Amino acid sequence: MYRPSEPEGQALRLEKRFERPHSRRGSLLDLLPAGKEATDPQPHEVPALAPVVAQSPSIAEPEPSRVSEYLPGLPLLGSIGIDHIVAWLRDSLRWIVLALVVCVAGALGYAMMATPRYTVYTDIVVDPSNLNVVSDDVFMNNPQRDAQLLEVESKLRTLTSRNVLERVIRKLRLTQDPEYVKPTPLSMLTALFASQDAKAGKELAVMRALSERVEARREERSFVVVLKVWSEAPDKAVMLADAIVDAFEAELFQSAAESAGRVAENLNARLDELRRSVTDAEKKVEDFRRINGLQSANGELVSNQLSGELNSQVLEAQQRFIQAETRYKQMSAALAQGQAARASVFESADMTNLRQQFNTVQQQIGSMQLTYGERHPRLAAARSERATLEAAINQEARRIAERAKADFDRERSALDALRVKANDEISNVFTDNEAQVHLRDLERDARTKAAVYETHLARAQQITQRQQIDTTNVRVISRAMPPESRSWPPRTVILLIAGAVAGLAIGVTVALTLGLWRFVRGHQRATT
Protein backbone atom coordinates (compact mmCIF):
# COMPACT_ATOMS: atom_id res chain seq x y z
CA MET A 1 0.00 0.00 0.00
CA TYR A 2 1.25 3.39 -0.91
CA ARG A 3 1.33 6.30 1.50
CA PRO A 4 2.29 9.92 0.56
CA SER A 5 4.55 10.25 3.58
CA GLU A 6 6.67 7.27 2.55
CA PRO A 7 9.41 7.49 -0.04
CA GLU A 8 8.32 6.49 -3.47
CA GLY A 9 10.88 3.75 -3.84
CA GLN A 10 9.98 2.08 -0.57
CA ALA A 11 6.33 2.05 -1.54
CA LEU A 12 7.10 0.46 -4.85
CA ARG A 13 9.18 -2.24 -3.18
CA LEU A 14 6.33 -3.08 -0.76
CA GLU A 15 3.85 -3.32 -3.60
CA LYS A 16 6.14 -5.63 -5.48
CA ARG A 17 6.71 -7.73 -2.35
CA PHE A 18 3.03 -8.31 -1.59
CA GLU A 19 1.86 -8.43 -5.19
CA ARG A 20 0.37 -11.88 -5.94
CA PRO A 21 1.66 -13.50 -9.08
CA HIS A 22 -0.92 -14.11 -11.77
CA SER A 23 0.22 -17.66 -12.19
CA ARG A 24 -0.87 -18.72 -8.65
CA ARG A 25 -4.14 -20.43 -7.97
CA GLY A 26 -6.81 -18.15 -6.56
CA SER A 27 -8.84 -18.75 -3.37
CA LEU A 28 -12.24 -17.77 -2.03
CA LEU A 29 -10.61 -14.98 -0.05
CA ASP A 30 -9.97 -13.22 -3.38
CA LEU A 31 -13.68 -12.43 -3.44
CA LEU A 32 -13.43 -10.30 -0.28
CA PRO A 33 -12.51 -6.59 -0.86
CA ALA A 34 -9.08 -5.65 0.53
CA GLY A 35 -9.90 -1.96 0.94
CA LYS A 36 -10.79 0.99 -1.18
CA GLU A 37 -8.15 0.04 -3.72
CA ALA A 38 -9.50 -3.51 -4.01
CA THR A 39 -13.00 -2.60 -5.10
CA ASP A 40 -12.18 -3.04 -8.79
CA PRO A 41 -11.67 -6.60 -9.91
CA GLN A 42 -8.24 -7.58 -11.17
CA PRO A 43 -7.86 -9.03 -14.60
CA HIS A 44 -7.24 -12.53 -13.21
CA GLU A 45 -10.37 -12.53 -10.99
CA VAL A 46 -13.70 -13.90 -12.09
CA PRO A 47 -15.92 -10.87 -12.78
CA ALA A 48 -19.13 -12.95 -12.82
CA LEU A 49 -19.15 -13.50 -9.04
CA ALA A 50 -19.46 -9.82 -8.18
CA PRO A 51 -22.94 -9.30 -9.63
CA VAL A 52 -24.21 -12.52 -7.95
CA VAL A 53 -23.09 -11.33 -4.56
CA ALA A 54 -24.35 -7.85 -5.18
CA GLN A 55 -27.77 -9.07 -6.29
CA SER A 56 -28.38 -11.22 -3.19
CA PRO A 57 -30.79 -9.23 -1.03
CA SER A 58 -30.19 -11.44 2.07
CA ILE A 59 -26.46 -10.75 2.31
CA ALA A 60 -25.55 -7.33 3.60
CA GLU A 61 -21.81 -6.83 3.06
CA PRO A 62 -20.12 -4.59 5.53
CA GLU A 63 -18.26 -1.65 4.27
CA PRO A 64 -14.60 -2.37 3.29
CA SER A 65 -13.36 0.10 5.80
CA ARG A 66 -15.24 -1.62 8.66
CA VAL A 67 -13.89 -5.09 7.65
CA SER A 68 -10.35 -3.77 7.64
CA GLU A 69 -10.95 -2.05 10.92
CA TYR A 70 -12.22 -5.16 12.79
CA LEU A 71 -10.05 -7.77 10.99
CA PRO A 72 -6.97 -5.94 9.76
CA GLY A 73 -5.23 -9.18 8.68
CA LEU A 74 -8.14 -10.68 6.79
CA PRO A 75 -7.29 -9.11 3.38
CA LEU A 76 -3.83 -10.70 3.57
CA LEU A 77 -5.21 -14.29 3.62
CA GLY A 78 -5.86 -14.12 -0.07
CA SER A 79 -2.17 -13.61 -0.78
CA ILE A 80 -1.06 -16.79 1.06
CA GLY A 81 0.14 -19.51 -1.28
CA ILE A 82 1.57 -22.98 -1.19
CA ASP A 83 5.14 -21.63 -0.98
CA HIS A 84 4.25 -19.76 2.21
CA ILE A 85 2.82 -22.94 3.79
CA VAL A 86 5.85 -25.00 2.79
CA ALA A 87 8.13 -22.32 4.16
CA TRP A 88 6.22 -22.20 7.43
CA LEU A 89 6.40 -25.99 7.81
CA ARG A 90 10.13 -25.93 7.05
CA ASP A 91 10.82 -23.15 9.52
CA SER A 92 8.82 -24.96 12.29
CA LEU A 93 10.11 -28.44 11.58
CA ARG A 94 11.58 -28.67 15.07
CA TRP A 95 8.14 -28.05 16.60
CA ILE A 96 6.60 -30.77 14.44
CA VAL A 97 9.30 -33.24 15.45
CA LEU A 98 8.96 -32.24 19.08
CA ALA A 99 5.17 -32.74 19.05
CA LEU A 100 5.58 -36.08 17.28
CA VAL A 101 8.14 -37.28 19.82
CA VAL A 102 6.10 -36.06 22.79
CA CYS A 103 2.85 -37.71 21.57
CA VAL A 104 4.60 -40.99 20.74
CA ALA A 105 6.30 -40.96 24.12
CA GLY A 106 2.99 -40.19 25.82
CA ALA A 107 1.27 -43.03 23.96
CA LEU A 108 4.09 -45.40 24.92
CA GLY A 109 3.92 -44.27 28.55
CA TYR A 110 0.14 -44.67 28.63
CA ALA A 111 0.44 -48.16 27.12
CA MET A 112 2.94 -49.11 29.81
CA MET A 113 1.23 -47.44 32.79
CA ALA A 114 -2.49 -47.69 31.98
CA THR A 115 -4.53 -50.21 33.94
CA PRO A 116 -5.52 -53.04 31.61
CA ARG A 117 -9.14 -54.11 31.22
CA TYR A 118 -10.22 -57.64 30.37
CA THR A 119 -13.83 -57.98 29.27
CA VAL A 120 -15.83 -61.21 29.31
CA TYR A 121 -19.33 -61.89 28.05
CA THR A 122 -21.99 -64.27 29.34
CA ASP A 123 -25.15 -65.14 27.38
CA ILE A 124 -28.25 -65.85 29.49
CA VAL A 125 -31.69 -66.93 28.30
CA VAL A 126 -34.34 -65.27 30.49
CA ASP A 127 -37.53 -67.11 29.60
CA PRO A 128 -40.57 -65.14 30.86
CA SER A 129 -42.56 -68.38 31.15
CA ASN A 130 -41.58 -69.96 34.45
CA LEU A 131 -41.40 -73.69 34.98
CA ASN A 132 -44.87 -75.18 35.56
CA VAL A 133 -44.01 -77.18 38.68
CA VAL A 134 -47.21 -76.35 40.55
CA SER A 135 -50.51 -76.65 38.68
CA ASP A 136 -52.02 -73.59 40.37
CA ASP A 137 -48.98 -71.36 40.89
CA VAL A 138 -48.94 -68.02 42.69
CA PHE A 139 -47.58 -66.18 39.65
CA MET A 140 -49.44 -66.12 36.36
CA ASN A 141 -47.77 -66.34 32.95
CA ASN A 142 -48.89 -63.71 30.49
CA PRO A 143 -48.80 -64.97 26.88
CA GLN A 144 -48.75 -61.46 25.38
CA ARG A 145 -45.52 -60.56 23.64
CA ASP A 146 -45.23 -57.06 25.09
CA ALA A 147 -45.82 -58.29 28.62
CA GLN A 148 -43.16 -60.97 28.17
CA LEU A 149 -40.66 -58.41 26.93
CA LEU A 150 -41.45 -56.19 29.91
CA GLU A 151 -40.84 -59.11 32.23
CA VAL A 152 -37.51 -59.86 30.56
CA GLU A 153 -36.53 -56.19 30.82
CA SER A 154 -37.45 -56.23 34.51
CA LYS A 155 -35.23 -59.25 35.08
CA LEU A 156 -32.53 -57.52 33.06
CA ARG A 157 -32.62 -54.64 35.51
CA THR A 158 -32.47 -57.15 38.34
CA LEU A 159 -29.27 -58.59 36.84
CA THR A 160 -27.43 -55.31 37.46
CA SER A 161 -29.39 -54.27 40.53
CA ARG A 162 -27.88 -53.32 43.84
CA ASN A 163 -29.11 -56.47 45.57
CA VAL A 164 -27.27 -58.69 43.10
CA LEU A 165 -24.09 -56.62 43.35
CA GLU A 166 -24.27 -56.72 47.16
CA ARG A 167 -24.37 -60.50 47.03
CA VAL A 168 -21.31 -60.50 44.76
CA ILE A 169 -19.45 -58.08 47.05
CA ARG A 170 -20.15 -60.20 50.11
CA LYS A 171 -19.34 -63.48 48.34
CA LEU A 172 -16.04 -62.32 46.80
CA ARG A 173 -15.14 -59.91 49.64
CA LEU A 174 -14.53 -57.10 47.23
CA THR A 175 -14.25 -54.59 50.08
CA GLN A 176 -10.85 -56.17 50.75
CA ASP A 177 -9.82 -56.33 47.09
CA PRO A 178 -7.12 -53.74 46.23
CA GLU A 179 -8.59 -53.43 42.74
CA TYR A 180 -11.68 -51.80 44.21
CA VAL A 181 -10.21 -50.33 47.39
CA LYS A 182 -6.85 -48.74 46.69
CA PRO A 183 -4.62 -49.27 49.75
CA THR A 184 -2.87 -46.27 51.29
CA PRO A 185 -0.06 -46.12 53.86
CA LEU A 186 -2.60 -45.14 56.53
CA SER A 187 -5.27 -47.62 55.51
CA MET A 188 -4.34 -50.17 58.17
CA LEU A 189 -4.40 -47.51 60.86
CA THR A 190 -7.67 -45.94 59.76
CA ALA A 191 -9.31 -49.39 59.56
CA LEU A 192 -8.87 -49.80 63.30
CA PHE A 193 -10.74 -46.61 64.09
CA ALA A 194 -13.22 -46.71 61.22
CA SER A 195 -16.83 -46.20 62.24
CA GLN A 196 -19.89 -47.93 60.86
CA ASP A 197 -20.58 -44.99 58.55
CA ALA A 198 -17.05 -45.23 57.15
CA LYS A 199 -17.51 -48.93 56.44
CA ALA A 200 -20.84 -48.24 54.76
CA GLY A 201 -19.18 -45.55 52.67
CA LYS A 202 -16.49 -48.04 51.70
CA GLU A 203 -19.10 -50.57 50.60
CA LEU A 204 -20.89 -47.86 48.66
CA ALA A 205 -17.64 -46.94 46.88
CA VAL A 206 -17.06 -50.60 45.99
CA MET A 207 -20.67 -50.80 44.79
CA ARG A 208 -20.17 -47.83 42.48
CA ALA A 209 -16.90 -49.19 41.15
CA LEU A 210 -18.46 -52.59 40.47
CA SER A 211 -21.57 -51.11 38.83
CA GLU A 212 -19.31 -49.26 36.39
CA ARG A 213 -17.73 -52.55 35.37
CA VAL A 214 -21.00 -54.40 34.78
CA GLU A 215 -23.31 -53.92 31.82
CA ALA A 216 -26.23 -55.95 30.53
CA ARG A 217 -28.31 -55.66 27.39
CA ARG A 218 -30.96 -57.71 25.65
CA GLU A 219 -30.42 -58.93 22.14
CA GLU A 220 -32.98 -57.64 19.69
CA ARG A 221 -35.96 -59.91 18.92
CA SER A 222 -34.93 -62.50 21.51
CA PHE A 223 -34.95 -63.30 25.22
CA VAL A 224 -31.15 -63.58 25.32
CA VAL A 225 -29.41 -61.22 27.74
CA VAL A 226 -25.70 -60.48 27.30
CA LEU A 227 -23.79 -59.71 30.50
CA LYS A 228 -20.59 -57.72 30.02
CA VAL A 229 -18.06 -57.58 32.87
CA TRP A 230 -14.51 -56.24 32.87
CA SER A 231 -11.73 -56.44 35.39
CA GLU A 232 -7.99 -55.89 35.61
CA ALA A 233 -7.31 -59.64 35.43
CA PRO A 234 -8.92 -62.12 33.03
CA ASP A 235 -9.51 -64.77 35.70
CA LYS A 236 -11.12 -62.23 38.00
CA ALA A 237 -13.39 -61.05 35.19
CA VAL A 238 -14.60 -64.63 34.66
CA MET A 239 -15.05 -65.08 38.40
CA LEU A 240 -17.07 -61.85 38.62
CA ALA A 241 -19.30 -62.89 35.72
CA ASP A 242 -20.01 -66.30 37.26
CA ALA A 243 -20.66 -64.75 40.67
CA ILE A 244 -23.10 -62.22 39.17
CA VAL A 245 -25.01 -64.98 37.36
CA ASP A 246 -25.23 -67.06 40.56
CA ALA A 247 -26.32 -64.01 42.56
CA PHE A 248 -28.89 -63.18 39.87
CA GLU A 249 -30.44 -66.67 40.06
CA ALA A 250 -30.40 -66.53 43.87
CA GLU A 251 -32.05 -63.10 43.83
CA LEU A 252 -34.82 -64.29 41.50
CA PHE A 253 -35.42 -67.35 43.69
CA GLN A 254 -35.43 -65.25 46.86
CA SER A 255 -37.76 -62.71 45.30
CA ALA A 256 -40.24 -65.43 44.28
CA ALA A 257 -39.89 -67.13 47.67
CA GLU A 258 -40.48 -63.87 49.53
CA SER A 259 -43.53 -63.11 47.41
CA ALA A 260 -44.92 -66.60 48.04
CA GLY A 261 -44.03 -66.22 51.72
CA ARG A 262 -45.98 -62.99 51.99
CA VAL A 263 -48.99 -64.66 50.38
CA ALA A 264 -48.68 -67.65 52.72
CA GLU A 265 -48.31 -65.36 55.73
CA ASN A 266 -51.44 -63.44 54.76
CA LEU A 267 -53.31 -66.71 54.23
CA ASN A 268 -52.16 -68.05 57.60
CA ALA A 269 -53.29 -64.85 59.27
CA ARG A 270 -56.62 -65.23 57.54
CA LEU A 271 -56.86 -68.90 58.53
CA ASP A 272 -57.26 -68.09 62.22
CA GLU A 273 -60.24 -65.90 61.48
CA LEU A 274 -61.73 -68.49 59.12
CA ARG A 275 -61.22 -71.23 61.70
CA ARG A 276 -63.07 -69.24 64.34
CA SER A 277 -65.83 -68.48 61.86
CA VAL A 278 -66.26 -72.18 61.01
CA THR A 279 -66.28 -73.14 64.69
CA ASP A 280 -68.95 -70.55 65.49
CA ALA A 281 -71.11 -71.67 62.57
CA GLU A 282 -70.90 -75.34 63.57
CA LYS A 283 -71.63 -74.44 67.19
CA LYS A 284 -74.76 -72.58 66.11
CA VAL A 285 -75.92 -75.68 64.24
CA GLU A 286 -75.45 -77.95 67.24
CA ASP A 287 -77.06 -75.47 69.65
CA PHE A 288 -80.08 -75.14 67.39
CA ARG A 289 -80.40 -78.91 67.17
CA ARG A 290 -80.17 -79.32 70.92
CA ILE A 291 -82.69 -76.56 71.66
CA ASN A 292 -85.22 -77.88 69.13
CA GLY A 293 -84.53 -81.56 69.78
CA LEU A 294 -83.54 -82.21 66.18
CA GLN A 295 -81.78 -85.53 66.47
CA SER A 296 -80.69 -87.22 63.28
CA ALA A 297 -79.62 -90.73 62.42
CA ASN A 298 -78.17 -91.72 59.06
CA GLY A 299 -78.87 -88.23 57.74
CA GLU A 300 -82.57 -88.28 58.74
CA LEU A 301 -84.35 -86.78 61.69
CA VAL A 302 -85.31 -89.21 64.46
CA SER A 303 -88.82 -87.72 64.56
CA ASN A 304 -89.32 -88.57 60.90
CA GLN A 305 -88.07 -92.10 61.46
CA LEU A 306 -90.30 -92.50 64.54
CA SER A 307 -93.29 -91.16 62.66
CA GLY A 308 -92.69 -93.66 59.89
CA GLU A 309 -92.37 -96.51 62.33
CA LEU A 310 -95.57 -95.45 64.12
CA ASN A 311 -97.44 -95.34 60.85
CA SER A 312 -96.26 -98.87 60.11
CA GLN A 313 -97.38 -100.01 63.55
CA VAL A 314 -100.77 -98.36 63.08
CA LEU A 315 -101.24 -100.25 59.82
CA GLU A 316 -100.31 -103.53 61.44
CA ALA A 317 -102.58 -102.84 64.45
CA GLN A 318 -105.39 -101.93 62.12
CA GLN A 319 -105.00 -105.23 60.28
CA ARG A 320 -105.00 -107.17 63.54
CA PHE A 321 -108.07 -105.21 64.70
CA ILE A 322 -109.93 -106.04 61.52
CA GLN A 323 -109.06 -109.71 61.86
CA ALA A 324 -110.15 -109.78 65.52
CA GLU A 325 -113.39 -107.96 64.69
CA THR A 326 -114.22 -110.31 61.84
CA ARG A 327 -113.54 -113.37 63.97
CA TYR A 328 -115.65 -112.08 66.83
CA LYS A 329 -118.55 -111.25 64.54
CA GLN A 330 -118.42 -114.72 62.98
CA MET A 331 -118.46 -116.32 66.43
CA SER A 332 -121.36 -114.17 67.60
CA ALA A 333 -123.37 -115.06 64.48
CA ALA A 334 -122.64 -118.78 64.93
CA LEU A 335 -123.74 -118.66 68.58
CA ALA A 336 -126.89 -116.79 67.68
CA GLN A 337 -127.75 -119.37 65.01
CA GLY A 338 -126.82 -122.34 67.22
CA GLN A 339 -124.09 -123.43 64.85
CA ALA A 340 -121.32 -123.54 67.42
CA ALA A 341 -120.75 -127.28 66.98
CA ARG A 342 -120.31 -127.01 63.22
CA ALA A 343 -118.71 -123.52 62.87
CA SER A 344 -115.03 -123.71 62.00
CA VAL A 345 -114.37 -120.36 63.59
CA PHE A 346 -114.32 -121.99 67.02
CA GLU A 347 -110.92 -123.56 67.17
CA SER A 348 -109.37 -125.05 70.32
CA ALA A 349 -108.14 -128.37 71.63
CA ASP A 350 -111.16 -128.85 73.90
CA MET A 351 -113.52 -127.93 71.06
CA THR A 352 -111.86 -130.48 68.84
CA ASN A 353 -112.26 -133.17 71.57
CA LEU A 354 -115.89 -132.32 72.19
CA ARG A 355 -116.67 -132.37 68.47
CA GLN A 356 -115.07 -135.78 68.10
CA GLN A 357 -117.08 -137.10 71.06
CA PHE A 358 -120.26 -135.47 69.70
CA ASN A 359 -119.74 -137.04 66.30
CA THR A 360 -119.17 -140.46 67.89
CA VAL A 361 -122.29 -140.20 70.00
CA GLN A 362 -124.24 -139.00 66.95
CA GLN A 363 -123.13 -142.04 64.98
CA GLN A 364 -124.08 -144.32 67.85
CA ILE A 365 -127.54 -142.76 68.07
CA GLY A 366 -128.06 -143.27 64.36
CA SER A 367 -127.08 -146.92 64.51
CA MET A 368 -129.20 -147.51 67.65
CA GLN A 369 -132.22 -146.03 65.99
CA LEU A 370 -131.88 -148.53 63.20
CA THR A 371 -131.22 -151.41 65.54
CA TYR A 372 -133.26 -150.87 68.73
CA GLY A 373 -135.95 -148.40 67.85
CA GLU A 374 -136.80 -145.02 69.17
CA ARG A 375 -137.73 -146.11 72.70
CA HIS A 376 -134.78 -148.17 73.62
CA PRO A 377 -133.18 -147.16 76.95
CA ARG A 378 -129.69 -147.14 75.49
CA LEU A 379 -130.87 -144.68 72.83
CA ALA A 380 -132.24 -142.39 75.52
CA ALA A 381 -128.92 -142.54 77.38
CA ALA A 382 -127.05 -141.73 74.17
CA ARG A 383 -129.33 -138.84 73.46
CA SER A 384 -128.78 -137.55 77.01
CA GLU A 385 -125.00 -137.80 76.43
CA ARG A 386 -125.40 -135.94 73.12
CA ALA A 387 -127.23 -133.09 74.84
CA THR A 388 -124.51 -132.91 77.46
CA LEU A 389 -121.90 -132.71 74.71
CA GLU A 390 -123.88 -130.02 72.89
CA ALA A 391 -124.06 -127.99 76.10
CA ALA A 392 -120.30 -128.41 76.57
CA ILE A 393 -119.66 -127.39 72.95
CA ASN A 394 -121.82 -124.29 73.34
CA GLN A 395 -120.11 -123.43 76.58
CA GLU A 396 -116.68 -123.86 74.92
CA ALA A 397 -117.83 -121.77 71.97
CA ARG A 398 -119.02 -119.00 74.28
CA ARG A 399 -115.68 -119.16 76.08
CA ILE A 400 -113.80 -118.89 72.75
CA ALA A 401 -116.10 -116.05 71.72
CA GLU A 402 -115.40 -114.22 74.95
CA ARG A 403 -111.69 -114.64 74.39
CA ALA A 404 -112.10 -113.38 70.82
CA LYS A 405 -114.04 -110.40 72.17
CA ALA A 406 -111.20 -109.69 74.62
CA ASP A 407 -108.71 -109.85 71.73
CA PHE A 408 -110.97 -107.57 69.71
CA ASP A 409 -111.16 -105.03 72.53
CA ARG A 410 -107.42 -105.21 73.07
CA GLU A 411 -106.62 -104.66 69.40
CA ARG A 412 -109.05 -101.76 69.25
CA SER A 413 -107.43 -100.14 72.30
CA ALA A 414 -103.95 -100.68 70.85
CA LEU A 415 -105.04 -99.23 67.53
CA ASP A 416 -106.52 -96.18 69.20
CA ALA A 417 -103.38 -95.65 71.28
CA LEU A 418 -101.12 -95.98 68.22
CA ARG A 419 -103.28 -93.56 66.26
CA VAL A 420 -103.09 -90.98 69.04
CA LYS A 421 -99.35 -91.43 69.29
CA ALA A 422 -98.95 -91.25 65.51
CA ASN A 423 -100.98 -88.04 65.36
CA ASP A 424 -98.86 -86.52 68.10
CA GLU A 425 -95.69 -87.56 66.32
CA ILE A 426 -96.96 -86.08 63.06
CA SER A 427 -97.36 -82.71 64.75
CA ASN A 428 -93.80 -83.08 66.06
CA VAL A 429 -92.62 -83.87 62.55
CA PHE A 430 -94.23 -80.72 61.21
CA THR A 431 -92.59 -78.68 63.96
CA ASP A 432 -89.23 -80.34 63.33
CA ASN A 433 -89.53 -79.77 59.59
CA GLU A 434 -90.15 -76.09 60.14
CA ALA A 435 -87.14 -75.96 62.45
CA GLN A 436 -85.12 -77.96 59.97
CA VAL A 437 -85.56 -75.20 57.36
CA HIS A 438 -83.58 -72.86 59.59
CA LEU A 439 -81.25 -75.70 60.48
CA ARG A 440 -80.44 -76.32 56.82
CA ASP A 441 -79.67 -72.62 56.44
CA LEU A 442 -77.27 -72.82 59.37
CA GLU A 443 -75.73 -76.03 58.01
CA ARG A 444 -75.35 -74.45 54.57
CA ASP A 445 -73.55 -71.47 56.07
CA ALA A 446 -71.32 -73.78 58.11
CA ARG A 447 -70.48 -75.90 55.03
CA THR A 448 -69.65 -72.83 52.98
CA LYS A 449 -67.36 -71.45 55.65
CA ALA A 450 -65.76 -74.85 56.12
CA ALA A 451 -65.15 -75.15 52.36
CA VAL A 452 -63.53 -71.70 52.26
CA TYR A 453 -61.42 -72.57 55.28
CA GLU A 454 -60.29 -75.88 53.77
CA THR A 455 -59.46 -74.17 50.47
CA HIS A 456 -57.37 -71.51 52.21
CA LEU A 457 -55.70 -74.12 54.37
CA ALA A 458 -54.74 -76.27 51.40
CA ARG A 459 -53.60 -73.20 49.46
CA ALA A 460 -51.49 -71.96 52.36
CA GLN A 461 -49.78 -75.33 52.69
CA GLN A 462 -49.23 -75.49 48.94
CA ILE A 463 -47.68 -72.00 48.81
CA THR A 464 -45.52 -72.82 51.83
CA GLN A 465 -44.11 -75.76 49.92
CA ARG A 466 -43.83 -73.55 46.82
CA GLN A 467 -41.28 -71.41 48.67
CA GLN A 468 -38.82 -74.29 48.52
CA ILE A 469 -39.15 -74.77 44.73
CA ASP A 470 -37.23 -72.68 42.22
CA THR A 471 -39.43 -72.21 39.13
CA THR A 472 -37.45 -69.43 37.45
CA ASN A 473 -36.55 -70.43 33.91
CA VAL A 474 -33.13 -68.78 33.59
CA ARG A 475 -30.41 -70.66 31.71
CA VAL A 476 -26.83 -69.76 30.91
CA ILE A 477 -26.15 -70.72 27.31
CA SER A 478 -22.59 -69.29 27.11
CA ARG A 479 -20.36 -69.14 30.14
CA ALA A 480 -17.73 -66.43 30.45
CA MET A 481 -14.37 -67.45 28.97
CA PRO A 482 -10.97 -65.85 29.74
CA PRO A 483 -10.22 -63.31 26.98
CA GLU A 484 -7.17 -63.74 24.76
CA SER A 485 -6.22 -60.09 24.98
CA ARG A 486 -7.15 -56.98 26.90
CA SER A 487 -10.03 -54.84 25.77
CA TRP A 488 -8.42 -51.59 26.94
CA PRO A 489 -6.00 -49.99 26.31
CA PRO A 490 -5.46 -51.05 22.68
CA ARG A 491 -2.29 -52.76 21.57
CA THR A 492 0.96 -50.80 21.96
CA VAL A 493 1.51 -50.61 18.19
CA ILE A 494 -1.93 -49.07 17.69
CA LEU A 495 -1.29 -46.56 20.48
CA LEU A 496 2.08 -45.60 18.96
CA ILE A 497 0.49 -45.10 15.55
CA ALA A 498 -2.30 -43.02 17.06
CA GLY A 499 0.28 -40.98 19.04
CA ALA A 500 2.33 -40.39 15.94
CA VAL A 501 -0.73 -39.24 13.98
CA ALA A 502 -1.84 -36.97 16.81
CA GLY A 503 1.69 -35.54 17.25
CA LEU A 504 2.03 -34.88 13.55
CA ALA A 505 -1.37 -33.15 13.47
CA ILE A 506 -0.52 -31.04 16.51
CA GLY A 507 2.94 -30.13 15.11
CA VAL A 508 1.52 -29.14 11.72
CA THR A 509 -1.18 -27.07 13.39
CA VAL A 510 1.38 -25.28 15.57
CA ALA A 511 3.68 -24.67 12.58
CA LEU A 512 0.88 -23.21 10.47
CA THR A 513 -0.35 -21.08 13.35
CA LEU A 514 3.14 -19.66 14.01
CA GLY A 515 3.76 -19.04 10.29
CA LEU A 516 0.47 -17.22 9.88
CA TRP A 517 1.12 -15.16 12.97
CA ARG A 518 4.58 -14.16 11.69
CA PHE A 519 3.18 -13.34 8.27
CA VAL A 520 0.55 -10.99 9.69
CA ARG A 521 3.02 -9.39 12.10
CA GLY A 522 5.56 -8.82 9.31
CA HIS A 523 2.95 -7.15 7.14
CA GLN A 524 1.88 -4.87 10.01
CA ARG A 525 5.49 -3.82 10.65
CA ALA A 526 6.03 -3.17 6.93
CA THR A 527 2.94 -0.98 6.71
CA THR A 528 3.89 1.03 9.80
Side-chain angles (χ1 to χ4, degrees), residues 235-246:
D235 296 337
K236 186 180 290 185
V238 174
M239 183 173 60
L240 279 175
D242 294 340
I244 290 174
V245 172
D246 295 339

Side-chain angles (χ1 to χ4, degrees), residues 106-407:
L108 181 61
Y110 181 78
M112 297 176 62
M113 298 178 62
T115 302
R117 295 183 181 180
Y118 294 91
T119 306
V120 295
Y121 298 90
T122 304
D123 295 337
I124 307 172
V125 174
V126 182
D127 196 341
S129 301
N130 293 330
L131 300 176
N132 191 13
V133 179
V134 182
S135 60
D136 189 11
D137 202 353
V138 181
F139 308 102
M140 297 179 60
N141 295 325
N142 198 329
Q144 295 184 359
R145 179 74 174 180
D146 296 338
Q148 291 180 345
L149 292 178
L150 289 176
E151 186 173 355
V152 174
E153 292 292 338
S154 300
K155 292 182 179 179
L156 175 62
R157 295 294 300 272
T158 305
L159 180 60
T160 58
S161 64
R162 183 174 179 178
N163 291 342
V164 174
L165 298 183
E166 284 180 354
R167 290 175 181 268
V168 176
I169 291 173
R170 289 194 300 268
K171 180 180 180 180
L172 302 181
R173 298 181 180 178
L174 297 183
T175 54
Q176 302 175 5
D177 194 336
E179 181 179 346
Y180 297 91
V181 181
K182 302 298 181 183
T184 59
L186 299 178
S187 59
M188 297 296 294
L189 183 61
T190 56
L192 298 176
F193 302 97
S195 61
Q196 192 68 23
D197 295 337
K199 293 181 180 179
K202 184 178 179 180
E203 294 180 356
L204 184 59
V206 175
M207 176 73 66
R208 291 172 179 169
L210 181 60
S211 61
E212 293 176 356
R213 300 168 184 238
V214 177
E215 180 183 353
R217 71 178 188 277
R218 182 180 63 85
E219 293 293 338
E220 188 177 0
R221 302 179 65 83
S222 69
F223 295 147
V224 178
V225 174
V226 180
L227 174 65
K228 175 183 176 183
V229 182
W230 67 268
S231 182
E232 297 179 3
D235 296 337
K236 186 180 290 185
V238 174
M239 183 173 60
L240 279 175
D242 294 340
I244 290 174
V245 172
D246 295 339
F248 171 59
E249 293 177 347
E251 181 66 22
L252 290 181
F253 172 68
Q254 182 179 358
S255 176
E258 289 179 354
S259 300
R262 287 193 298 270
V263 175
E265 183 179 357
N266 294 332
L267 286 177
N268 289 327
R270 178 66 177 163
L271 283 177
D272 296 335
E273 182 180 355
L274 291 176
R275 187 182 299 109
R276 290 192 297 269
S277 177
V278 172
T279 303
D280 294 340
E282 292 179 349
K283 186 177 180 181
K284 289 180 180 179
V285 171
E286 297 302 326
D287 292 342
F288 187 81
R289 281 180 176 175
R290 183 175 62 255
I291 293 172
N292 293 274
L294 300 177
Q295 298 179 0
S296 61
N298 298 325
E300 187 178 1
L301 290 176
V302 175
S303 59
N304 291 335
Q305 295 179 356
L306 183 59
S307 177
E309 292 178 358
L310 287 175
N311 289 332
S312 300
Q313 293 176 7
V314 167
L315 291 177
E316 293 176 358
Q318 189 173 6
Q319 290 177 358
R320 291 195 301 270
F321 170 75
I322 293 173
Q323 292 176 357
E325 182 182 15
T326 303
R327 184 183 178 191
Y328 175 70
K329 287 181 178 180
Q330 289 176 355
M331 289 180 179
S332 299
L335 289 174
Q337 295 175 4
Q339 301 293 332
R342 292 186 296 274
S344 61
V345 69
F346 299 102
E347 294 292 340
S348 68
D350 294 339
M351 180 64 74
T352 302
N353 242 344
L354 292 174
R355 284 178 177 174
Q356 290 177 355
Q357 293 177 7
F358 180 80
N359 291 332
T360 302
V361 172
Q362 186 70 18
Q363 290 176 358
Q364 291 176 358
I365 291 173
S367 62
M368 286 180 181
Q369 286 178 352
L370 294 176
T371 303
Y372 300 108
E374 293 291 335
R375 296 182 180 182
H376 195 276
R378 295 183 61 182
L379 182 61
R383 288 177 176 173
S384 175
E385 184 180 358
R386 184 179 65 179
T388 303
L389 288 174
E390 285 180 354
I393 289 173
N394 291 329
Q395 185 179 359
E396 181 67 18
R398 284 192 293 270
R399 186 182 65 82
I400 293 174
E402 289 176 357
R403 188 174 60 186
K405 184 177 185 302
D407 292 341

